[in-house]
Structures are given as C-alpha cells and as structure tokens.
Amino acid sequence: MITLRGINKTYGKKKQRFQALKDIDLEIPDGASVAIVGKSGSGKSTLMHVMSGLDRPQSGEVVVDGQDILKLKAKAVDRFRSEKMGFIFQAFFVQGNESSFHNVSLPLEIAKVSRGKRKKMILEALERVEMTDKAQERARNLSGGQKQRLAIARAIVAKPSILFADEPTGNLDSTTGEHIEELLFDLNKQQGVTLVIVTHDRDLASRCDIRVNIKDGAIQSIETPKRPKAKGGKS
Ligand SMILES: Nc1ncnc2c1ncn2[C@@H]1O[C@H](COP(=O)(O)OP(=O)(O)O)[C@@H](O)[C@H]1O
Ligand SMILES: [Mg+2]
C-alpha cells in the first residue's frame, strides 16, 4: 500500500517558486495498476518521484508498506527503494558501453547481492523480457524496443513489489509499445506487482484499475475504469 497525505511540492525560491504538487491525497492498494494522466507539465513525474522517495515534498506524508519514507535518512530511503521498487524511466538510459547482462546486474550490485546469486537472477530477468540471446550484446547496439525491454529487466531483477514506469511506451512504435505494455501487465497480473504508470496513452490508461487525473499539480479526479470482462473470461 502506498499512501500520500497532504503532499505539497515546490521548486525554486522566492519569485522563481513554483508549486508543482498541491495537497495531494492518494491511496494505492497492493497489486493495483495505476495510471497517472495529465498534460505535459502537470506534475505527473514529480508525483511519481515523491511517491518513490526520489524527491522530497515540502509537506505531507508518504507511507509505503507502513513506513513513512520521509522519516528515513537518505541512505535508508535508498535501501528501502532498492528492496521494494523498480523504475522504468525514459531518462534512465541504459549504459551503452556495457553488455545487457551487466546493465541488469547493476541494481543487484547496488543492493549488495553476492555474485553467486546475481547470475541466476540476471538470466531470469533477461528471460522474462525475451532478451537472453542479447545478454552479451552491448546495450548501444540494441533497438529502441530492446533497450526498453532491457530497462524492464533491470527494473524487475531485484524482484520489486512496486514498479514505477514513466511513459514507458512514449518513444516506441505502437507494436513495440504494445509488447512492453503486455510485459508490464503480465508482471502486475501474474506476480502481483503494483504498477504505477505515467502515460499519455488513453488505451494504456484505460487498462489500469485506477486512473489518477492530474492538472496543474492537483488531483482532478480518480477513476476506476473497470473494463467489462471479455466473454467467457474467468472472473
Ligand atoms: N527540478 C525542477 N526545477 C524546477 N521546476 C521543475 C523541476 N522539475 C519539474 N519542474 C516543473 O514542475 C512542473 C511539473 O513537472 P513534471 O512533474 O515533470 O510534469 P509532467 O511529468 O506532468 O510533464 C513543470 O512546470 C516543470 O517545469
Ligand atoms: Mg514527466
């Protein structure tokens, strides 16, 4: 469960001061899929950064699995994040000079997982995104879709319970984007990973359990767009 209470976030000082988030209250149950939607500059990425402890608000509470993460020291937040959370951010480019294998290894090295355990976990994550054959390839030689799959492998390798994705399909052609989308929802449905996605894509947003509409830093509405189940589908 992720709970946000009374979140206010400003950037800059004095005349430059800009309020990016205004009185945000939000609850995300475990295993939910959540879309954060809104215009460019509305505060979606800021909201995601605050939720995950990457950025600190000026006021409010961020409680993740019972832990108020704003009460933790920086190192403890980093540890908390590396144990529980995975990130797929457009800005988190893969290391081009390194192999796929080594890119996926990084979060495990940060989390101080022993070398012996790492190999199996890395190969599992690469397998999950169908990139086993590219394990030794340098990341810069991969296509856009493959790089994004690699970013997913890296995000899931430490088995996070929450996955944050900031416009994960934004730079991809629609077929490749759909493949990435399937991967994310499979992880959500099969492994119960809580999925929080910032997206412009209406179809993607409508597949989520919860849609948070944000405008000028404030939540405008929270919808639960349950799609009708397909005929013959299990309930
Ligand atoms: N580090 C920063 N310093 C100053 N302003 C920022 C910073 N990050 C974001 N902003 C501003 O806060 C607002 C929200 O940004 P952001 O959360 O990135 O929006 P979105 O992801 O919805 O496009 C924008 O007006 C942006 O210019
Ligand atoms: Mg953004």
Side-chain angles (χ1 to χ4, degrees):
M1 173 94 119
I2 306 174
T3 307
L4 304 186
R5 287 193 203 101
I7 297 291
N8 284 282
K9 168 76 192 171
T10 58
Y11 288 114
K13 285 185 181 141
K14 295 184 181 164
K15 278 192 179 165
Q16 301 295 324
R17 218 169 99 103
F18 177 82
Q19 187 156 11
L21 294 177
K22 298 170 189 162
D23 295 325
I24 299 281
D25 293 311
L26 183 62
E27 242 176 41
I28 298 176
D30 287 341
S33 54
V34 182
I36 301 174
V37 297
K39 284 187 190 156
S40 171
S42 57
K44 304 181 298 294
S45 296
T46 304
L47 180 59
M48 186 172 269
H49 294 170
V50 164
M51 237 183 240
S52 55
L54 284 170
D55 207 345
R56 284 184 75 87
Q58 273 69 23
S59 64
E61 268 176 45
V62 181
V63 183
V64 180
D65 294 349
Q67 174 68 56
D68 182 345
I69 60 173
L70 300 176
K71 294 219 168 85
L72 296 174
K73 294 214 170 89
K75 263 198 174 169
V77 181
D78 291 346
R79 195 177 328 116
F80 189 82
R81 200 187 301 115
S82 71
E83 282 169 13
K84 296 216 181 252
M85 302 172 179
F87 295 90
I88 305 154
F89 285 173
Q90 277 186 342
F92 276 24
F93 292 120
V94 295
Q95 308 275 313
N97 265 333
E98 303 285 355
S99 66
S100 299
F101 186 92
H102 191 246
N103 268 282
V104 178
S105 177
L106 284 175
L108 299 178
E109 291 169 35
I110 292 167
K112 302 222 165 21
V113 175
S114 68
R115 182 187 285 266
K117 284 189 187 156
R118 285 203 300 261
K119 186 172 178 188
K120 183 165 176 277
M121 293 170 84
I122 295 164
L123 292 177
E124 262 177 35
L126 286 171
E127 168 93 54
R128 192 78 189 72
V129 299
E130 295 170 37
M131 289 275 289
T132 313
D133 57 329
K134 300 287 180 192
Q136 298 311 326
E137 192 70 65
R138 278 185 202 220
R140 71 156 115 78
N141 297 333
L142 302 173
S143 70
Q146 288 169 336
K147 278 184 190 145
Q148 198 62 325
R149 269 146 64 194
L150 181 58
I152 294 179
R154 191 174 55 179
I156 64 175
V157 69
K159 307 204 186 312
S161 51
I162 309 165
L163 204 51
F164 292 101
D166 197 340
E167 307 199 18
T169 59
N171 287 333
L172 305 173
D173 64 74
S174 59
T175 313
T176 313
E178 273 165 32
H179 186 191
I180 297 295
E181 204 177 305
E182 288 316 315
L183 262 170
L184 294 175
F185 281 100
D186 282 354
L187 288 162
N188 172 249
K189 296 280 174 287
Q190 293 166 9
Q191 283 161 36
V193 175
T194 305
L195 193 57
V196 183
I197 312 178
V198 167
T199 184
H200 276 110
D201 185 330
R202 280 165 179 273
D203 287 342
L204 177 51
S206 68
R207 288 186 67 175
C208 291
D209 302 327
I210 302 171
R211 184 164 55 206
V212 180
N213 298 298
I214 146 161
K215 188 185 178 190
D216 298 333
I219 291 180
Q220 266 203 316
S221 60
I222 297 175
E223 299 164 280
T224 48
K226 270 272 164 263
R227 276 191 168 185
K229 290 229 158 35
K231 255 190 193 167
K234 279 186 274 181
S235 65

